Every structure is written in structure tokens, then in C-alpha cells.
Amino acid sequence: MTYQDLISSWSTFSNNIHAFSQQLGLDRLELECDHTALRVNSNQSADQLRQAFAKVGNIISDNMINGRPILIIELDTPLMMGSTAIECVELPYPGEKTYPQEGWEHIELVLDCGATDCDTLAQALLEKAPQLAPVLAGDTDVKVKMSSPKGDKERLANPTIAFKKNGLCVKIHSHGIKAVIASEAE
């Protein structure tokens, strides 16, 4: 997995993820897409991508989350998904899990509701997108995972709801990645 592979595959990934967002009805909510994330299976790939991304952006966070380094890179030139500018890339170093496919894995959208737990985030999401009730109830072919990942230095709770289907993933969280990073410095 090289940086050039990622750039070459961005158009296909962004079109597919946008279509999935539309299927869920998330596009109508006009949520900020604060970052996109990669998956790699080797430290060597992660190191090479770290070097490549450092040439086109700045590493604004290098934090241990669930026992592995996860970088957030703020890009000099945002990636575009349709008319949406995505300023940051999440580069997690591999953990114990091996991914069937390396490359772009998900986007994260911010539902600015101040939720500090997954139940509150789900309620806020349902208020804005009631069509997601059967999805959240597990009555569709979309898989839903709720979690509250936390960095070693984070002070801001940021619950997450992930929607997954056909190798695509869209995550919703209550605070933008830059606000979470800023909480680490407090």
C-alpha cells in the first residue's frame, strides 16, 4: 500500500462512500466530514504512509488509542468528496486485527450534539434522521457498532456509531477530531 495507491483509489472510494451516506440519508443532515481513515496491515506500510503524508500535511496528533499509535494528519490541500472538503486523514498503525483490504476504510461525520455516550448520540441522531430507526435496531443489512474509543490523553468523551455495509463504513461522532485533539492539551 503506497501513497500513490491511495490517491489513485480515492475517487472510487469517495463515490462509494457518498452513495452509502445517501442510502442512509446522512447526506441530508449536512454534517461536517472531519476526517477519513485508512487501514494498513504492517508497520512498514504505516511508516511509509506517515512519511508520504508528512510531505503533504502536518501530523497534528500522534496518540496511543487501544494500545496502538494513531496519527491524525491535517492535509495542506483537502481531499474532496463531491463538494465536501475533508481536511484530515487518520492513519492507525496495525493492531492485532488484520484487514481483508488495505486502503481507505471509513469517513467520520460530526453530529454536534454534545453527547458523551452512545445512547445519547443515537437519540440525537434519530431526532434528525428518524429513517435510521430500523438500522439502529438491527433490522436491516447494515451492521451497526457503537463504541467509545479513547486516547491516552483525551479529556473529551467522543462516542461513535459506525454503519457498515459491503466493505464501506460511515461513522458518526459528537465532536470533531480537532476538538478531541485540543482536549488532549488541557
Side-chain angles (χ1 to χ4, degrees):
M1 171 62 45
T2 68
Y3 174 77
Q4 194 53 49
D5 293 335
L6 289 172
I7 297 307
S8 297
S9 64
W10 175 255
S11 178
T12 299
F13 172 76
S14 64
N15 288 337
N16 291 341
I17 208 85
H18 182 70
F20 184 41
S21 294
Q22 287 178 311
Q23 176 190 348
L24 294 168
L26 295 172
D27 60 315
R28 291 174 278 185
L29 303 183
E30 298 181 6
L31 302 175
E32 173 196 1
C33 181
D34 70 336
H35 71 282
T36 185
L38 304 168
R39 291 293 179 250
V40 296
N41 288 327
S42 76
N43 286 332
Q44 180 182 1
S45 290
D47 286 339
Q48 289 171 348
L49 290 172
R50 177 187 190 127
Q51 292 172 6
F53 276 110
K55 293 176 184 173
V56 296
N58 296 308
I59 297 170
I60 59 172
S61 177
D62 182 349
N63 201 354
M64 293 296 286
I65 300 175
N66 297 330
R68 63 188 174 138
I70 296 186
L71 308 178
I72 303 296
I73 301 111
E74 184 175 30
L75 302 171
D76 296 335
T77 304
L79 291 167
M80 297 302 295
M81 184 176 65
S83 61
T84 301
I86 303 173
E87 296 179 353
C88 295
V89 173
E90 175 184 329
L91 171 57
Y93 273 67
E96 294 178 14
K97 182 177 180 179
T98 300
Y99 295 94
Q101 183 176 332
E102 292 183 299
W104 301 110
E105 199 262 345
H106 69 262
I107 61 166
E108 297 201 21
L109 305 173
V110 180
L111 178 59
D112 189 9
C113 63
T116 57
D117 60 63
C118 290
D119 289 339
T120 305
L121 180 59
Q123 283 305 116
L125 182 58
L126 284 173
E127 286 174 18
K128 294 193 174 284
Q131 77 279 2
L132 290 173
V135 177
L136 289 170
D139 296 334
T140 70
D141 60 350
V142 175
K143 291 183 179 166
V144 177
K145 179 182 176 188
M146 296 191 189
S147 63
S148 296
K150 191 169 187 332
D152 290 349
K153 302 173 199 165
E154 279 177 28
R155 308 252 187 281
L156 190 61
N158 201 22
T160 302
I161 301 173
F163 299 97
K164 298 179 180 186
K165 182 178 177 183
N166 297 330
L168 297 171
C169 180
V170 174
K171 295 185 178 185
I172 307 286
H173 52 130
S174 56
H175 300 287
I177 194 68
K178 290 182 182 179
V180 173
I181 292 168
S183 79
E184 295 171 357
E186 293 176 359

